[in-house]
Amino acid sequence: MLNHVQDLGFRSGEFTVEPLPDAETGRVLAILAARHGTETDAVLVPDGREAELRGELAEAAPGLSALATAIRDRLETSHSGVLIRRAHLGRHDLDTRRRLLYALAVGMGAPTATDRIDRKVVWDIKLRPELVRSGAASTFSEHADEAGFHTDTQYFPNPERYMLLYFAKAAACGGGRSSLRDARCVRAALTGSDEGRWALDLLSRTALPFRIPATFTRTGSRDAVEVTFATVFGDRPLIRFRTDTLRRGLAARPEHDTPDVRRALAILQAELDNPARRLETFLESDSLLAMNNHEALHGRGAFADPERHALRVRIDDGAPQDSASQDQAR
């Protein structure tokens, strides 16, 4: 079960969990093997039967099911970020950790395919030197540079509600520190000044183009130009934001790149950059960070260790979201 240790501020909390009993682990792996095969390189993909799988896992692994429910409940009430510094998965091989992370995600909702070609659910966040050298690294998960505050899949009409980030291997150099900001805190800070209220109003009623990174376009081509129009602030999601996809979206649809839009985004960015209103921490190997992707912005510092490796799963809760539209051009 999920045990609260301390609040870290900004609606983030630190928690502990007990190791999953070996018997439950074995039953989980058997269920997933029956559905996805036993090969270590088997790709876990959505099959449309997640509700059925959730029921099977709840019966076979009540401890894991209870943990998933507890994390989801926290992310819907008191916290936008749940940090577990030791997930007790490190004793397993990497393939087993992928499967247990996937099973945990199924307990929270419907894990989604990260990309449209391979449709992988568990995505590797690690340096891909070949993409960096060729200039084809289009997401934060493919390079070692700093990643500014953002929400995930802000470039899709319906961003997933939850996200799990598991650190299989932390950066030995000490880099790649994780940062969190809570959208409720951001909005409250903006309402404290005239210019902040003006920016919040504009960014709540003006749909802007977010360009979809090449990795996640319909064809995967670097030449594809696809954007999603949505407001930065809304009800559900409370916020969607990423500087580079907005910048590239505005470049692709320059008629939306107005002085007022630039000013409002600059005001928001200045608030996000305020070091007094952010949580920053180093996540060790075997730590797990769960986030409400509709309410928490996350980022990371640059790192030098090419072996740094995290696993990410995004999870849809199936609830209706604010309207957004996607278009494409060649």
Side-chain angles (χ1 to χ4, degrees), residues 124-173:
D124 293 281
I125 299 178
K126 60 190 303 185
L127 178 64
R128 292 173 169 80
E130 71 285 358
L131 295 182
V132 174
R133 285 193 297 269
S134 67
S138 62
T139 76
F140 295 140
S141 64
E142 297 172 335
H143 62 69
D145 300 333
E146 179 182 2
F149 278 116
H150 63 285
T151 58
D152 265 32
T153 57
Q154 76 296 136
Y155 42 76
F156 285 155
N158 296 302
E160 292 87 350
R161 181 73 170 174
Y162 312 118
M163 187 177 75
L164 298 177
L165 191 60
Y166 172 75
F167 286 81
K169 188 179 186 306
C173 63

Side-chain angles (χ1 to χ4, degrees), residues 205-238:
R205 59 182 171 78
T206 306
L208 299 177
F210 294 82
R211 181 161 176 177
I212 302 173
T215 302
F216 308 121
T217 57
R218 291 178 177 87
T219 64
S221 168
R222 292 178 60 189
D223 298 326
V225 178
E226 298 180 17
V227 301
T228 293
F229 280 93
T231 59
V232 171
F233 291 102
D235 294 321
R236 190 179 178 94
L238 199 62

Side-chain angles (χ1 to χ4, degrees), residues 14 26 30 48 109 116 124 137 161 217 224 238 297 302 313-314 318 321:
E14 183 177 343
R116 292 178 171 176
D124 293 281
R161 181 73 170 174
T217 57
L238 199 62
L297 299 104
V313 181
R314 297 167 176 155
Q321 297 188 28

Side-chain angles (χ1 to χ4, degrees), residues 192-203:
S193 68
D194 289 340
E195 72 169 7
R197 286 190 293 272
W198 173 85
L200 179 59
D201 176 68
L202 186 144
L203 297 175

Side-chain angles (χ1 to χ4, degrees), residues 74-95:
R74 286 283 184 171
L75 294 178
E76 288 298 332
T77 54
S78 56
H79 295 80
S80 61
V82 168
L83 171 59
I84 300 168
R85 293 201 179 274
R86 188 180 180 200
H88 300 286
L89 300 180
R91 69 184 189 275
H92 299 296
D93 60 65
L94 188 59
D95 183 64

